[in-house]
Amino acid sequence: MDNNLKEQILRSSGVNVLKCMRCGKCSGTCPSYDEMEYHPHQFVYMVEKGDIQKLMESESIYKCLTCFACVERCPRNVEPAKVVEAVRLAAIRQQGNNHLTPVQIPGMLDEDLPQQAIVTAFRKYTK
Amino acid sequence: MLMISLDRLDELFAAVAAKQTLYLPADREDGQAEYRRWEDGVKLSSRLNTVRSAKDFFFPQTEDLVEFKMEGKNIEVIDPRKESEDFVVFGVRACDARSFTILDKVYLVEPVDSYYKTRRDHGTVVTMACTRPEETCFCRTFGIDPTAPEGDCACWSDGESLFFRANTEKGEKFVDSISSLLDEGDTEKLEKINERTRDVLSKMPLANLSAENFGGDKLNEYFNSDKWGELSEACLGCGTCTFVCPTCQCYDIRDFDTGHGIKRFRCWDSCMYSDFTKMAHGNPRLTQLERFRQRFMHKLVYFPANNNGEFGCVGCGRCLSKCPISMNIVKVMKALEVK
Amino acid sequence: MQVNDNNFEPVIVAFCCNWCSYAGADLSGTNRLNYPTNVKIIRVPCSCRVNPMFILRAFQRGADGVIICGCHPGDCHYTSGNYYARRRITLLYSMLDFLGIERDRTRLEWVSAAEGAKFAATMESFTEQVKALGPNRRLEDLRCRKQ
Amino acid sequence: MQEAMINRAKELMADGTVSRVIGWKRGEFAYDITPAVFETAEEIDSDFVCDDFTAANVSKYLIKESRKEGRILAFLKPCDTYSFNQLIKEHRIIRENVYVIGIPGGPKLDAEKLKARGITGILGVRNEKGTLHIDTVYGEETMPMFEAILGKCENCKSTKHVVYDELMGEEGEVIADSGRFDRVAELENMTAQQRFEFWREQLSKCIRCNACRNVCPACSCENCVFDNPDSGISNKAAADSFEENNFHIIRAFHVAGRCTDCGECSRVCPQNIPLHLLNRKFIKDINELYGEYQAGEDTTSRAPLTNYNADEDCEPSIVHERGAE
Amino acid sequence: MQRIGVFVCHCGTNIAATVDVKAVAEALGHEPGVVISQDYQYMCSESGQNLVKDAIKEHNLSGIVICSCSPRMHENTFRKAAAAAGLNPYLVEIANIREQCSWIHRDIATATEKAIILGKAAVAKVHLNTPLTSMESPVVKRALVIGGGIAGIQTALDIAEAGFDVDIVEKEATIGGKMAQIDKTFPTLDCAACILTPKMVEASQNEKIHIYAFSEVEAVKGFVGNFTVKIKRKARYVDEVKCTGCGACIEKCPMKKVPNEFNMGLDNRHAVYIPFAQAVPKIATIDPNYCMMLKNGKCGLCSKVCAAGAIDYKQQDSFIEEKYGAIVVATGFNPIKLDKYDEFSYNTCPDVVTSLELERLMNAAGPNGGTLLRPSDKSHPHTIVFVQCVGSRCSDEKGKPYCSKICCMYTAKHAMLIRDKYPDTEVYVFYIDVRTPGKNFDEFYRRAVEQYNVHYIKGMVGKVTPKSDGKIDVQASDLLSNEQLHIDADMVVLAAAIEPDKTARPLATMLTTQMDTNDFFTEAHPKLRPVESATAGIFLSGACQGPKDIPETVAQGSAAAAKAIGLLCKNSITCNPCVAHSDELMCNGCSSCEKVRPYGAITYSDKEFRMPDRTIAVRRVASVNPAVCQGCGACTVACPSGAMDLSGFSNSQIMAEVDAICK
């Protein structure tokens, strides 16, 4: 178990994962649930267990829309989205691990894509 | 006689203050005078006298006597006195100067009050002759000449210069210490001024007040006088007369619990107070009449009885102007007097 | 000890009425709500028992702040005690202010038996407030100062 | 007026309405009157005085005098009637035993103010059309009368007598614009530091002679807390600055809501401490916070500190909210 | 010379973990007058008390200081122990080093320092304590029960059974409370009305019980044994004495569109109404918000049809004042409002209901006569989803941090009842945990799963969305199979958290009782005095003290009754000797104290005094009636001379504490 990594996630997210009472409302409310390998409640639980490497390697970290529905609805104020964000940052901050590079963009553009989404994507997927 | 021009007073005070602490009467914003520590800018008051007398310098209103420090259940006894420094009290009037003689008779006889003595030893009294007495003055009743004050060193002003004469060894030391500022001067004008002052005094309302019918042998004449009731009727039982009096010398000893120990201090007491000399059984003087009587009998009868006829009053007139109901020793003497 | 801004720990006396505020203080204990150790509570039956003499006494003896806590107006266990206290304390605080004593050294707060959180928060903020003022010098008795 | 008073007093004594008269007795000088009880017409003729210097409030003496045998005649100035009424309210004076004649009030004069101008050796004082002619051993001096007015008369609150059996002279009225709180307001508008320094300078003069307390008609306790060794705050001397503050705060607090603002405390203070400002501060606060209240105005109303308004009373935090810094 | 004993309690680790109790005992042992200072594990235990008693005897102690929990907790315990050892109980002082020290501080050094100061203050105070003797005060033999739900009814019945008069004050038009709205009870499934209504009738017929329905407590004065309560009788606009409950007025009332509170607003009632058929008292009430006669003076039909002439449009709120020896609080609970939970669409979709609404929907006296139909289209629901913990166990401001305790069981009950009556209906229950501690509770839940095939799914519902086809999309994550579910439901039932009634807080204020942050009344001791409040003479019954099911509520109701009876049985109670007293030698008779006395305990008389000059003077002086005085101390501050002082909290004692603290 990588304790340093766990500490880093907890610190950068500011989340106390011990507050989770495992109700699963975060996952129940998540619009990206079916896209994700690991679901919001699993993020919280796995971070608590220190099982973080799997999360960092999973596509799930890029599937989170950061819509904050889980944050809004969590009855215990655990804020799972912040955990997902922290794990994602831990991943992309590693050298050469940008999830997105500028050269990839033109190929991904389509007419319906709002400008804001591109900006957001850069913010979320690059360091 | 050695003298200094009045416009060089600041120079003089600075020279004195450079060597020891100097106190002198200064005007307050309410027009009354009080003794203040001299520093640059403090001017000598032109008022005849201060509200509080000069006795404060030797017998302050409160004074720590001893301290007890408590550490758990252990008690340590501490003498709180600090090394005393020499000081000069300047501008004392003849009446107040005489009051020190009276206080000395109480505090410097055996057992000597070492607290008082230390202060007396370190203090130099520089007196100032009166030139403009007030209607409340009756010092001459007690044989005091306001134009020839006692004190370690006496001063006279002729309106232009200040003249000095040392009366004691301490006074000589004082004059020596300022001799570089002094010149020899002519006292002719001075004599005239003193003459005029004595003349004014004889025209004052109290000029003819005499104490000759009072004294240590007059206990029976006055103690049971039926005048006391009338005289004391309006007395509020406050301590104003006692506290402005230069000769009142009674004190109370009290303990103050500081939380870390005890400070045993003495403070002025007044025989006018209901708890004066309170004992286990209560107060020996039950009513205000008796307390009132005590104060005046003490000054006019008991004190002379124990001090070779010396009265316990110097006629400074403070109580005359300060008593809230204007009852005072003059009215008492006049009402009681049996010729 | 030299007192400076960093290590000044004020002495704060809190008079708490037995029925509401003392119970409120107990409740903040029961709920483990932290507040500074500077605060020492004296139990009185009612806020109206607090004599101005006690407040002055506290300042004399080295208190840096005095706070009185009682039942909310209308809630007095004795029906009207806190109303009298309110007037008395208002006038006293106003007088202290008139004499130039820092007004932030005194406070009155109504704390009910249910307001453990309010009690703790009040004590926290009052302590901070007094800390900011520094030691009480204007109404202390020098004879009582710790050597 | 003095003449009329003497005549009336003798009349009332002669017809048995009263057996004694309380008033003022002349002294050695022009100004040193003493409150006194007169028992005979002769005494009245020779010693009774009522002039510019008879400022002393005789109400407090009536606590004792009204408990003696027989009825006593009291000449009360308007301000004295307030003190008298307040003492009636507090059950201290037995009303039936006092025959009150209301007399016109001041302004009374302060001999100290003459002396402060350097006028000494006073042999006599005449008041002519607002100018004082003072005969002294050093010659005659003059000064405007208003400059010699006693502090307590400077901001007279009322020339109305709130209680009397008989009135001499014209009845006056309450003076709404007396300006008696102006000085308090001035102090309130200073900074705390300035106020502190002001009061430190004033109160450090205190010699704790207790004259203010002993003259005060509201301070009529059998045994004052400051004299009672069991009270925990008894102290004979103002041993340090705290004691000075403590005495005057507690004294003012104990008379708050009971003080009629007669001004005797400041009059008798040998050190000229403006003690009345402390009392007026309380009166001003009470008027502003709890509604106008004049102690002694009546004998039935509830005093502001033994009263409350559940819904409207302000919180002590108002102290933080108003005034200067 | 004082001989003071100091006893420092560890309270297990409650104190000892943050306060160095040995250091405290050591430090206080050095205080003047202290002859013995020791610490012990549990001072309040019998052996702890024996330690105190032995020390008193062995060291001939003149006063004792216990450094322990709040005096509100154990002051009496130690006073009794002292008395048993021959020491006057008022020579005991408590230094509160638990609630006001060890529990609020973390740092051992500073907490210990503070505990020592608190101990020193108590030692300083006890130096000045004087022996006091208690007076007796009579007990009014009548109890007041506030709230007429099952808790209040049970308490009232038990108190009446013991032979004491008891009044019930109920703010609604009828007693019965929440239980009257419930259809069936778990785990036995018997009909709530069938077991409740006989009790209601019993209460109404018991001559010792007086029911003030449609009334509220307005003010409470007094103290244990002698409360004076002002009760507001809200205007019903119907004469209670004359009304026979025949219902003629209701039939004729033209105003029929008033939401029926009893049925949770799921159907309507008339402007004049009787909440339900078995209401007690069965008296009509006119709703002034809807009655046309009261609103604009037009109608008056009810008055015309009332044979008894009971309608009184001019009726006003009236007030009565009654004296009571004991007061029992039984103000009960309510489901929380779900307005803030947008994700459950409660406000927008009529087919999303709360469990209490479901009770009414299933009840034979409910809006659908007992047939479970969707509120929106009155169709038969085929799929019903239950959502647990709605608002319970929430640390955010929308909900409540506690577990509401009853939801798991009633949800199982609902699921089971639906499956039993409508086997074609699929029932899903989304749970976080299923909590079933209780006799036959888990068996009950398992029956729902095993026998009735209710689908229990672990996972909180994330989102409830009404669809255009009338179905409701319930989105949730099945945490065990790790998949997200979408269920097309016909109805969704939300197990809303329960909270204390809104009237509880103002009532607590009037009663000067403690409440916790959730507005539940705080018991005097969480384990040992669960049905008493910390304020003497005030007892707690039912859900006002915390979430409870019916059997627990009834049990607590009876327990509170037993406590109240214990009090009422006494002819008098010992009253507090910490009362004011006046020193006649110092009193001026100024009457300042008399003006501020709240209980009329101060009177004046003329007394003769021998003066110093041996004359006799008559002076008016104050005296205090110690049986009436409650010891507030208002007079002590009003008194300028200091003649008034308060035993137990004297000027010198308080100043000694101040000194010790400020040292």
Coordinates of all heavy atoms in Angstrom, one line a residue, chain D residues 242-287:
Chain D
F242 N -6.7 51.4 41.5 CA -7.9 50.6 41.5 C -8.9 51.0 42.6 O -10.0 51.1 42.3 CB -7.5 49.1 41.6 CG -8.8 48.2 41.7 CD1 -9.5 47.9 40.6 CD2 -9.3 47.9 43.0 CE1 -10.6 47.2 40.7 CE2 -10.4 47.2 43.1 CZ -11.1 46.8 41.9
E243 N -8.3 51.2 43.8 CA -9.2 51.5 44.9 C -10.0 52.8 44.6 O -11.1 53.0 44.9 CB -8.4 51.7 46.2 CG -7.8 50.4 46.7 CD -8.8 49.5 47.3 OE1 -10.0 49.8 47.4 OE2 -8.4 48.4 47.7
E244 N -9.3 53.8 44.0 CA -9.9 55.0 43.6 C -11.1 54.8 42.7 O -12.2 55.3 42.9 CB -8.9 56.0 43.0 CG -7.8 56.5 44.0 CD -6.5 57.0 43.3 OE1 -6.5 57.0 42.0 OE2 -5.6 57.3 44.0
N245 N -10.8 54.0 41.6 CA -11.9 53.7 40.7 C -13.0 53.0 41.3 O -14.1 53.3 41.2 CB -11.3 52.9 39.5 CG -10.4 53.7 38.6 OD1 -10.6 54.9 38.5 ND2 -9.6 53.0 37.9
N246 N -12.6 51.9 42.1 CA -13.6 51.0 42.6 C -14.6 51.8 43.5 O -15.8 51.6 43.4 CB -12.8 50.0 43.5 CG -13.7 48.8 43.9 OD1 -14.5 48.3 43.1 ND2 -13.6 48.4 45.1
F247 N -14.0 52.6 44.4 CA -14.9 53.4 45.3 C -15.9 54.2 44.5 O -17.1 54.2 44.8 CB -14.0 54.3 46.2 CG -14.9 55.1 47.2 CD1 -15.4 54.6 48.3 CD2 -15.1 56.5 46.9 CE1 -16.2 55.4 49.1 CE2 -15.8 57.3 47.7 CZ -16.4 56.7 48.9
H248 N -15.4 54.9 43.6 CA -16.3 55.9 42.9 C -17.3 55.2 41.9 O -18.4 55.6 41.8 CB -15.5 57.0 42.2 CG -14.8 57.9 43.2 ND1 -15.5 58.8 44.0 CD2 -13.5 58.0 43.6 CE1 -14.7 59.4 44.8 NE2 -13.5 58.9 44.6
I249 N -16.8 54.1 41.4 CA -17.8 53.3 40.5 C -18.9 52.7 41.3 O -20.1 52.9 41.0 CB -17.0 52.2 39.7 CG1 -16.0 52.8 38.7 CG2 -18.0 51.3 39.0 CD1 -15.1 51.7 38.1
I250 N -18.5 52.0 42.4 CA -19.5 51.4 43.2 C -20.4 52.4 43.9 O -21.6 52.2 43.9 CB -18.8 50.5 44.3 CG1 -18.1 49.3 43.6 CG2 -19.8 49.9 45.3 CD1 -18.9 48.3 42.9
R251 N -19.8 53.5 44.3 CA -20.7 54.5 44.9 C -21.7 55.0 43.9 O -22.9 55.1 44.2 CB -19.8 55.6 45.5 CG -20.6 56.4 46.6 CD -19.9 57.7 47.0 NE -20.2 58.8 46.2 CZ -21.4 59.5 46.2 NH1 -22.3 59.1 47.0 NH2 -21.6 60.5 45.4
A252 N -21.2 55.3 42.8 CA -22.1 55.9 41.7 C -23.2 54.8 41.4 O -24.4 55.1 41.2 CB -21.4 56.3 40.5
F253 N -22.7 53.5 41.3 CA -23.7 52.5 41.0 C -24.8 52.3 42.1 O -25.9 52.1 41.8 CB -22.9 51.2 40.8 CG -23.8 50.1 40.2 CD1 -24.1 50.0 38.9 CD2 -24.4 49.2 41.1 CE1 -24.9 49.0 38.4 CE2 -25.2 48.2 40.6 CZ -25.5 48.1 39.2
H254 N -24.3 52.4 43.3 CA -25.3 52.2 44.4 C -26.3 53.3 44.4 O -27.4 53.1 44.9 CB -24.5 52.1 45.7 CG -24.0 50.7 46.0 ND1 -23.3 50.4 47.1 CD2 -24.0 49.6 45.3 CE1 -22.9 49.2 47.1 NE2 -23.4 48.6 46.0
V255 N -26.0 54.5 43.9 CA -27.0 55.5 44.0 C -27.7 55.7 42.6 O -28.5 56.6 42.4 CB -26.4 56.9 44.5 CG1 -25.9 56.7 45.9 CG2 -25.3 57.4 43.5
A256 N -27.3 54.9 41.6 CA -27.8 55.0 40.3 C -29.3 54.8 40.4 O -29.8 53.8 41.0 CB -27.2 54.0 39.3
G257 N -30.1 55.6 39.8 CA -31.5 55.5 39.8 C -32.1 56.1 41.1 O -33.3 56.2 41.2
R258 N -31.2 56.5 42.0 CA -31.7 57.1 43.3 C -31.1 58.5 43.4 O -31.6 59.3 44.2 CB -31.3 56.2 44.4 CG -31.8 54.7 44.3 CD -31.1 53.8 45.3 NE -31.2 54.3 46.6 CZ -30.2 54.4 47.5 NH1 -29.0 54.1 47.1 NH2 -30.4 54.8 48.7
C259 N -30.1 58.7 42.7 CA -29.4 60.0 42.8 C -30.3 61.1 42.2 O -30.7 60.9 41.0 CB -28.1 60.0 42.1 SG -27.3 61.6 41.8
T260 N -30.6 62.2 42.9 CA -31.4 63.2 42.3 C -30.6 64.3 41.6 O -31.2 65.3 41.1 CB -32.3 63.9 43.4 OG1 -31.3 64.5 44.3 CG2 -33.1 62.9 44.2
D261 N -29.3 64.1 41.6 CA -28.4 65.1 40.9 C -28.4 66.4 41.7 O -28.5 67.5 41.1 CB -28.9 65.3 39.5 CG -27.7 65.9 38.7 OD1 -26.6 66.0 39.2 OD2 -28.0 66.3 37.5
C262 N -28.3 66.3 43.0 CA -28.3 67.5 43.8 C -26.9 68.2 43.8 O -26.8 69.4 44.1 CB -28.7 67.3 45.3 SG -27.5 66.5 46.3
G263 N -25.9 67.4 43.4 CA -24.6 68.0 43.2 C -23.8 68.2 44.5 O -22.7 68.8 44.4
E264 N -24.3 67.7 45.6 CA -23.5 67.9 46.8 C -22.2 67.3 46.8 O -21.2 67.8 47.4 CB -24.3 67.4 48.0 CG -25.5 68.3 48.4 CD -25.0 69.6 49.2 OE1 -24.7 70.6 48.5 OE2 -25.0 69.5 50.4
C265 N -22.1 66.1 46.1 CA -20.8 65.4 46.1 C -19.7 66.2 45.6 O -18.6 66.3 46.1 CB -20.9 64.1 45.3 SG -21.8 64.3 43.8
S266 N -20.0 66.9 44.5 CA -18.9 67.7 43.9 C -18.7 69.0 44.7 O -17.6 69.5 44.8 CB -19.3 68.1 42.5 OG -19.2 67.0 41.6
R267 N -19.7 69.5 45.3 CA -19.6 70.7 46.1 C -18.6 70.5 47.3 O -17.8 71.3 47.6 CB -20.9 71.2 46.7 CG -20.8 72.4 47.6 CD -22.1 72.9 48.2 NE -22.6 72.0 49.3 CZ -22.2 72.1 50.5 NH1 -21.3 73.0 50.9 NH2 -22.7 71.3 51.4
V268 N -18.7 69.3 48.0 CA -18.0 69.1 49.2 C -16.6 68.5 48.9 O -15.7 68.5 49.8 CB -18.7 68.2 50.2 CG1 -20.0 68.8 50.5 CG2 -18.8 66.8 49.6
C269 N -16.3 68.1 47.7 CA -15.0 67.4 47.4 C -13.9 68.4 47.7 O -13.8 69.4 47.0 CB -15.0 66.8 46.0 SG -13.4 66.1 45.7
P270 N -13.0 68.1 48.6 CA -11.9 69.1 48.9 C -11.0 69.1 47.7 O -10.2 70.1 47.6 CB -11.3 68.5 50.1 CG -11.6 67.0 50.2 CD -13.0 66.9 49.5
Q271 N -11.0 68.1 46.9 CA -10.1 68.1 45.8 C -10.7 68.5 44.4 O -10.1 68.4 43.4 CB -9.5 66.7 45.6 CG -8.6 66.3 46.7 CD -7.2 66.9 46.6 OE1 -7.0 68.1 46.6 NE2 -6.2 66.1 46.6
N272 N -12.0 69.0 44.5 CA -12.7 69.5 43.3 C -12.8 68.4 42.2 O -12.7 68.7 41.0 CB -12.0 70.7 42.8 CG -12.3 71.9 43.7 OD1 -13.2 71.9 44.5 ND2 -11.5 73.0 43.5
I273 N -13.0 67.2 42.6 CA -13.2 66.1 41.6 C -14.6 66.3 41.1 O -15.5 66.4 41.9 CB -13.0 64.7 42.2 CG1 -11.5 64.6 42.8 CG2 -13.2 63.6 41.1 CD1 -11.3 63.4 43.6
P274 N -14.8 66.3 39.8 CA -16.2 66.5 39.3 C -17.0 65.2 39.4 O -17.4 64.5 38.4 CB -16.0 66.9 37.8 CG -14.7 66.2 37.4 CD -13.9 66.2 38.7
L275 N -17.3 64.8 40.7 CA -17.9 63.5 40.9 C -19.3 63.4 40.3 O -19.8 62.4 40.0 CB -18.0 63.2 42.4 CG -16.6 63.0 43.1 CD1 -16.7 63.1 44.6 CD2 -16.1 61.7 42.7
H276 N -20.0 64.6 40.2 CA -21.4 64.6 39.7 C -21.4 64.0 38.3 O -22.4 63.6 37.9 CB -21.9 66.0 39.8 CG -21.2 66.9 38.9 ND1 -20.0 67.5 39.2 CD2 -21.5 67.4 37.7 CE1 -19.6 68.3 38.2 NE2 -20.5 68.2 37.3
L277 N -20.3 64.1 37.6 CA -20.3 63.6 36.2 C -20.5 62.1 36.2 O -21.2 61.6 35.3 CB -19.0 63.9 35.5 CG -18.7 65.4 35.2 CD1 -17.3 65.5 34.6 CD2 -19.8 65.9 34.3
L278 N -20.1 61.4 37.2 CA -20.3 59.9 37.3 C -21.8 59.7 37.5 O -22.4 58.8 36.8 CB -19.5 59.3 38.4 CG -18.0 59.4 38.3 CD1 -17.3 58.8 39.5 CD2 -17.5 58.6 37.1
N279 N -22.4 60.4 38.4 CA -23.8 60.2 38.6 C -24.6 60.6 37.4 O -25.6 60.0 37.0 CB -24.3 61.1 39.8 CG -23.6 60.6 41.1 OD1 -23.3 59.5 41.3 ND2 -23.2 61.6 41.9
R280 N -24.2 61.8 36.8 CA -24.9 62.2 35.6 C -24.8 61.3 34.4 O -25.7 61.1 33.6 CB -24.4 63.6 35.2 CG -25.0 64.7 36.1 CD -24.8 66.0 35.5 NE -25.4 67.0 36.4 CZ -25.0 68.3 36.5 NH1 -24.1 68.7 35.6 NH2 -25.5 69.1 37.4
K281 N -23.7 60.5 34.4 CA -23.5 59.5 33.3 C -24.6 58.5 33.5 O -25.2 58.1 32.5 CB -22.1 58.9 33.4 CG -21.9 57.6 32.6 CD -22.0 57.9 31.1 CE -21.8 56.6 30.3 NZ -22.2 56.8 28.9
F282 N -24.8 58.0 34.7 CA -25.8 57.0 34.9 C -27.2 57.6 34.6 O -28.0 56.9 34.0 CB -25.8 56.5 36.4 CG -24.8 55.4 36.6 CD1 -24.0 55.4 37.8 CD2 -24.8 54.3 35.8 CE1 -23.1 54.4 38.0 CE2 -23.9 53.3 36.0 CZ -23.1 53.3 37.1
I283 N -27.4 58.8 35.0 CA -28.8 59.4 34.8 C -29.0 59.6 33.3 O -30.0 59.2 32.7 CB -28.9 60.8 35.5 CG1 -28.8 60.6 37.0 CG2 -30.2 61.5 35.1 CD1 -28.7 62.0 37.7
K284 N -27.9 60.0 32.6 CA -28.1 60.2 31.1 C -28.3 58.8 30.5 O -29.2 58.7 29.6 CB -26.8 60.8 30.6 CG -26.7 61.1 29.1 CD -25.5 61.9 28.7 CE -25.4 62.2 27.3 NZ -24.9 61.1 26.4
D285 N -27.6 57.8 30.9 CA -27.8 56.5 30.3 C -29.2 56.0 30.6 O -29.9 55.5 29.7 CB -26.8 55.5 30.9 CG -25.5 55.4 30.2 OD1 -25.4 56.1 29.1 OD2 -24.5 54.8 30.7
I286 N -29.7 56.2 31.8 CA -31.0 55.7 32.2 C -32.0 56.5 31.3 O -32.9 55.8 30.7 CB -31.2 56.0 33.7 CG1 -30.5 54.9 34.5 CG2 -32.7 55.9 34.0 CD1 -30.4 55.3 36.0
N287 N -31.9 57.8 31.2 CA -32.8 58.5 30.4 C -32.9 58.1 28.9 O -33.9 57.9 28.3 CB -32.5 60.0 30.4 CG -32.9 60.7 31.8 OD1 -33.6 60.1 32.6 ND2 -32.4 61.9 32.0

